[in-house]
């Protein structure tokens, strides 16, 4: 089975579990909580929870609560991110605060956050393992918030960040949820700390590779594939790895052209296409791809001692993340 087919198959189980959990009164609150979940998402993080558990000999049913909790937290962050960024659309539909209203969207995010822990508390795992899951997930949520603040500070600062500053930010804002997904899978399989550490290492490096590649797609991606306009991140002034590398590497008039358009909300399509062309000519895509591959290799090494079909699917997911087409 191709990894994309396996992801879809697992998503059906997770979606069924999520729909059951996200019901209640007042109905509008739960409709708002489930809004983004219903309208999209590949369920990559739940997939990682389930496959990590099963690779270690655990049962899918034992990991379903953790898998659903991770997805709830992911959508909690999306709901609040959209509010902070005042975004209008996600997954091709209006964002939660646009579909409903701001107060309800904030409460919807709060419900998702709270439901994640409530779902874990009801799982069939023993109190010891439930406690470990809560500890891991709560720590990840703290780091996500810290990463969000780091991202805001990088955006507000006129200085172009260093590569290490960027990596540190995405480790917290993005990669930590991939890391905790794999760790929670290992805990759900009732495995010792060394296995939890190995899976954490895999997830963290996969998450960094994912975000690096995502940022590349945000600049050079085919709009027919991504649903976003080419160069959109340049217009928004997003200080992602491809952009900061391009600004540091460009010289003379090329650098001036990039800086003139960077963060310019009214930049024309012609201006954006010119800048994208400059970034391509600097070999930024190849540089970023190599970076993503380096983190992918670290992730692969973390699973060296394991075997089986579920490991193969995790490695296939890693390959899919790194080799995603622009």
């Amino acid at each position: 089975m191709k990894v994309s087919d396996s992801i879809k198959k697992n998503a059906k189980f997770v979606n069924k579990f999520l729909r059951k959990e996200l019901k209640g009164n007042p109905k509008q609150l739960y409709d708002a909580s489930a809004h983004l979940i219903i309208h999209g998402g590949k369920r990559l993080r739940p997939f990682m929870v389930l496959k990590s558990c099963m690779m270690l000999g655990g049962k899918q049913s034992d990991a379903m609560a953790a898998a659903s909790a991770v997805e709830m937290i992911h959508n909690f962050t999306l709901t609040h991110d959209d509010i902070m960024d005042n975004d209008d659309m996600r997954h091709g539909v209006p964002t939660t605060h646009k579909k409903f209203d701001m107060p309800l969207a904030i409460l919807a995010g709060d419900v998702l956050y709270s439901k994640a822990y409530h779902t874990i508390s009801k799982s069939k795992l023993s109190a010891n393992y439930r406690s470990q899951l809560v500890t891991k997930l709560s720590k990840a949520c703290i780091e996500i918030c810290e990463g969000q603040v780091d991202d805001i500070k990088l955006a507000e600062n006129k200085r172009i960040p260093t590569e290490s500053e960027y990596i540190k930010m995405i480790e917290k804002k993005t990669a930590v949820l991939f890391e905790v997904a794999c760790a929670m899978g290992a805990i759900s399989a009732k495995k010792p700390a060394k296995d939890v550490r190995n899976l954490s290492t895999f997830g963290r490096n996969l998450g960094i590779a994912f975000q690096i590649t995502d940022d590349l797609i945000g600049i050079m991606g085919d709009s027919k594939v991504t649903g976003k306009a080419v160069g959109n991140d340049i217009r928004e002034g997003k200080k992602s790895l491809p952009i900061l590398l391009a600004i540091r590497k460009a010289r003379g008039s090329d650098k001036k052209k990039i800086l003139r358009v960077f963060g310019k909300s009214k930049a024309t399509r012609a201006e954006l296409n010119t800048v994208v062309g400059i970034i391509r000519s600097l070999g930024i895509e190849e540089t970023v791809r190599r970076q993503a591959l380096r983190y992918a290799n670290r992730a692969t090494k973390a699973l060296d001692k394991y075997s089986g079909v579920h490991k193969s699917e995790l490695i296939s997911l890693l390959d899919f993340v790194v080799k995603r087409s622009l």
Side-chain angles (χ1 to χ4, degrees):
M1 184 185 295
K2 292 195 300 184
V3 70
S4 56
D5 293 332
S6 184
I7 290 170
K8 289 177 183 176
K9 181 180 177 181
N10 280 269
K12 289 180 181 178
F13 296 120
V14 175
N15 288 343
K16 183 179 179 180
F17 194 96
L18 286 168
R19 283 194 296 270
K20 185 178 70 174
E21 289 294 317
L22 294 175
K23 286 185 178 179
N25 287 306
K27 184 176 181 297
Q28 191 179 27
L29 173 61
Y30 287 90
D31 287 346
S33 298
H35 174 62
L36 293 180
I37 290 174
I38 289 171
H39 286 99
K42 295 183 178 69
R43 310 290 181 258
L44 293 183
R45 294 155 191 82
F47 178 83
M48 293 167 71
V49 176
L50 298 175
K51 291 300 169 182
S52 295
C53 176
M54 295 164 77
M55 184 188 74
L56 296 173
K59 295 186 293 185
Q60 179 173 289
S61 58
D62 285 340
M64 189 57 70
S68 298
V70 166
E71 187 64 17
M72 288 177 194
I73 292 296
H74 175 52
N75 281 273
F76 147 71
T77 65
L78 297 182
T79 300
H80 283 192
D81 274 356
D82 289 340
I83 292 170
M84 286 184 275
D85 296 340
N86 197 29
D87 286 335
D88 293 336
M89 302 291 289
R90 185 179 288 276
H91 300 325
V93 297
T95 50
T96 307
H97 67 283
K98 294 295 182 181
K99 171 72 175 178
F100 297 89
D101 58 37
M102 189 75 74
L104 199 62
I106 293 170
L107 290 169
D110 293 345
V111 165
L112 285 165
Y113 180 87
S114 303
K115 274 282 187 179
Y117 292 100
H118 186 231
T119 299
I120 290 171
S121 74
K122 296 189 301 176
S123 78
K124 296 177 181 178
L125 294 170
S126 70
N128 173 46
Y129 294 114
R130 294 199 305 270
S131 176
Q132 289 183 50
L133 292 173
V134 167
T135 299
K136 283 288 182 184
L137 189 57
S138 59
K139 184 176 182 293
C141 288
I142 292 168
E143 290 192 44
I144 290 168
C145 294
E146 291 171 351
Q148 180 67 20
V149 172
D150 289 343
D151 193 20
I152 292 169
K153 286 181 178 179
L154 289 180
E156 291 174 345
N157 197 326
K158 290 183 179 180
R159 180 179 65 83
I160 300 300
T162 64
E163 186 176 329
S164 63
E165 287 173 328
Y166 161 85
I167 294 296
K168 182 180 176 182
M169 183 272 290
I170 66 169
E171 271 189 300
K172 287 190 170 185
K173 185 178 176 181
T174 302
V176 70
L177 202 52
F178 286 84
E179 176 181 346
V180 80
C182 292
M184 290 172 74
I187 293 168
S188 298
K190 305 168 187 173
K191 292 299 177 181
K194 63 180 181 180
D195 291 311
V196 176
R197 286 194 297 270
N198 288 340
L199 271 295
S200 295
T201 299
F202 173 81
R204 179 173 63 256
N205 284 287
L206 186 152
I208 295 172
F210 173 91
Q211 189 59 56
I212 287 174
T213 306
D214 214 49
D215 285 344
L216 184 65
I217 292 170
I219 296 173
M220 302 181 178
D222 182 346
S223 59
K224 294 177 183 177
V225 177
T226 66
K228 296 180 180 181
V230 174
N232 198 50
D233 284 357
I234 300 169
R235 179 189 277 127
E236 292 179 3
K238 185 176 179 181
K239 292 172 182 173
S240 63
L241 181 62
I243 291 173
L244 67 91
L245 289 175
I247 291 173
R248 292 189 185 282
K249 191 172 182 180
R251 296 289 182 270
S253 62
D254 282 348
K255 188 167 188 173
K256 289 179 182 178
K257 287 175 184 177
I258 295 172
L259 292 173
R260 192 180 302 131
V261 175
F262 183 63
K264 182 182 176 183
S265 60
K266 295 182 180 180
T268 66
R269 174 52 45 201
E271 287 175 320
L272 287 170
N273 286 339
T274 296
V275 170
V276 170
I278 291 169
I279 293 173
R280 287 188 192 281
S281 71
L282 293 170
I284 299 301
E285 179 181 345
E286 293 77 12
T287 301
V288 173
R289 290 286 191 188
R290 283 197 301 271
Q291 287 274 55
L293 186 59
R294 191 166 80 241
Y295 286 103
N297 288 337
R298 291 178 186 175
T300 301
K301 189 175 180 181
L303 299 188
D304 276 351
K305 65 175 285 189
Y306 307 106
S307 61
V309 64
H310 302 298
K311 173 189 173 176
S312 297
E313 288 187 298
L314 285 172
I315 297 299
S316 294
L317 173 63
L318 183 60
D319 289 340
F320 168 75
V321 162
V322 174
K323 296 175 183 176
R324 277 179 295 165
S325 173
L326 299 183

